[in-house]
Amino acid sequence: MRAVLLSETGGPEVLRVQDVARPEPGDGEALIRVRAASINPIDWKYRRGLSSKQLPAVLGNDISGTVEQSQADAFAEGEDVFGFAPRGGYAEFATSPAPAIACKPPGLTHEQAAAIPVAGLTAWQALFDRGGLQRGQTLLVAGAAGGVGHLAVQLGKHAGARVIGTGSARNREFVLALGADEYVDYTAQDVAEAVGDVDVAFDTVGGATTATLVPTVREGGVIVVIAGAPPEEQAAERGVRAELLIMSPSAEQLAKIAELVAAGEVRVEIAGTFSLSQVAAAHELSEAGHTRGKLILTP
Ligand SMILES: NC(=O)c1ccc[n+]([C@@H]2O[C@H](COP(=O)([O-])OP(=O)(O)OC[C@H]3O[C@@H](n4cnc5c(N)ncnc54)[C@H](OP(=O)(O)O)[C@@H]3O)[C@@H](O)[C@H]2O)c1
């Protein structure tokens, strides 16, 4: 099969489409013909060697496709499924353990479904499992137009929170149209001067941004981070809880998010769709850090 194999770390030019052996599904796994895979920043972090991964490896984790062969009771050949492919998703075929996939509702395209796993579960787990977000509370989403952020804004609204998003000027109308109540352009305004007393701050940006968000949180509130170390000291000084979330697969949460998308309650923004041979261009876009929604590969 054709797959994007990472054999050495480096720039986008190290991404090569190669013929590799089709993976064999193990006990409790399904072999899936991949119709769409999505790109996450962790993929180019592996490519650059910023996060370690044993090489050679097929990159990618998020897939949607059709079961070709099943060794799992829960899935039958011919069924459309989506979820996590731990042995790589930028490929014509991928294998997934049954607990890491869910049935794709017919109302979702494979592109939409492939966009959900990492970004959707990260948003869900940050808001509800770590943030404990409740109806009527205020949620700040930093990076509200990104893959994770645009889903977090909508999941927060759906849960009955007041949502404030941050991003640059070009994303203002997009984020407000997702349902955000307020938008702060971080290039024009200091976010902590514009926003205060939030119950849950969700930082998808990381770096120097994280510490600047702590003052937006009320005493007793929480800041959840996913892209760097939690700001424990600054948070403790304000009586705020700081949490780092590392997303974990959940077929149940995947199914819930997909239902919301199929029902039109949550919309998945596709920033661009690329063939496997265009993977380098897609990585360049992701790495630039200004993607609106998700980038998709269609093997
Ligand atoms: N811990 C975990 O389990 C986990 C899971 C998923 C993702 N992550 C990490 O979380 C991060 C976000 O992932 P993602 O997929 O959402 O990335 P992404 O789609 O590449 O995010 C891009 C978005 O970030 C916005 N942005 C950039 N700088 C900003 C700033 N200073 N303030 C506000 N918004 C800013 C951009 O908006 P503008 O163009 O308007 O600037 C753009 O819309 C990545 O570092 C990823 O590796 C971690």
Side-chain angles (χ1 to χ4, degrees):
M1 67 166 188
R2 275 160 38 93
V4 177
L5 195 71
L6 186 70
S7 304
E8 54 176 327
T9 57
E13 72 284 352
V14 302
L15 296 172
R16 286 191 200 98
V17 181
Q18 294 185 17
D19 282 324
V20 302
R22 208 157 111 165
E24 295 282 336
D27 248 9
E29 290 190 338
L31 174 72
I32 298 158
R33 179 183 289 272
V34 179
R35 312 278 183 190
S38 83
I39 289 176
N40 289 291
I42 189 69
D43 303 343
W44 57 256
K45 291 177 187 176
Y46 285 137
R47 193 203 74 225
R48 282 183 54 182
L50 300 174
S51 276
S52 68
K53 190 176 189 70
Q54 200 177 349
L55 302 183
V58 174
L59 273 183
N61 201 339
D62 285 348
I63 56 154
S64 180
T66 308
V67 175
E68 182 85 4
Q69 195 189 327
S70 181
Q71 306 264 41
D73 294 340
F75 297 100
E77 279 165 36
E79 258 183 299
D80 282 341
V81 296
F82 75 108
F84 298 89
R87 287 197 271 160
Y90 295 6
E92 289 177 316
F93 291 91
T95 51
S96 298
I101 50 177
C103 286
K104 181 184 79 61
L108 256 70
T109 64
H110 283 292
E111 287 82 355
Q112 287 174 315
I116 293 174
V118 168
L121 261 60
T122 301
W124 183 285
Q125 292 169 10
L127 267 44
F128 307 123
D129 298 347
R130 295 306 182 92
L133 186 69
Q134 302 286 326
R135 178 168 294 280
Q137 287 191 324
T138 299
L139 166 71
L140 172 67
V141 179
V148 177
H150 88 293
L151 297 176
V153 166
Q154 298 176 84
L155 292 174
K157 281 310 291 180
H158 187 260
R162 182 172 155 261
V163 178
I164 306 167
T166 76
S168 65
R170 67 179 267 276
N171 283 317
R172 176 184 295 276
E173 294 314 317
F174 169 68
V175 172
L176 291 174
L178 295 175
D181 300 279
E182 278 178 52
Y183 188 78
V184 181
D185 172 359
Y186 69 90
T187 66
Q189 251 180 312
D190 181 322
V191 176
E193 271 175 24
V195 180
D197 271 339
V198 309
D199 300 285
V200 179
F202 178 29
D203 175 25
T204 75
V205 178
T209 297
T210 303
T212 68
L213 298 174
V214 175
T216 66
V217 185
R218 68 160 167 86
E219 194 181 337
V222 55
I223 176 165
V224 183
V225 305
I226 55 169
E232 275 164 357
E233 267 180 37
Q234 298 102 310
E237 278 167 21
R238 282 185 66 82
V240 164
R241 196 157 53 87
E243 297 255 356
L244 167 68
L245 170 79
I246 306 289
M247 183 278 311
S248 45
S250 155
E252 195 192 328
Q253 291 174 351
L254 274 180
K256 282 186 190 161
I257 298 168
E259 268 170 35
L260 292 175
V261 177
E265 301 275 342
V266 168
R267 133 179 180 220
V268 172
E269 176 75 6
I270 307 290
T273 302
F274 300 80
S275 65
L276 278 192
S277 56
Q278 295 170 314
V279 63
H283 263 226
E284 273 171 26
L285 277 176
S286 176
E287 203 170 344
H290 297 288
T291 306
R292 178 186 288 171
K294 293 282 300 177
L295 296 161
I296 305 292
L297 294 176
T298 47

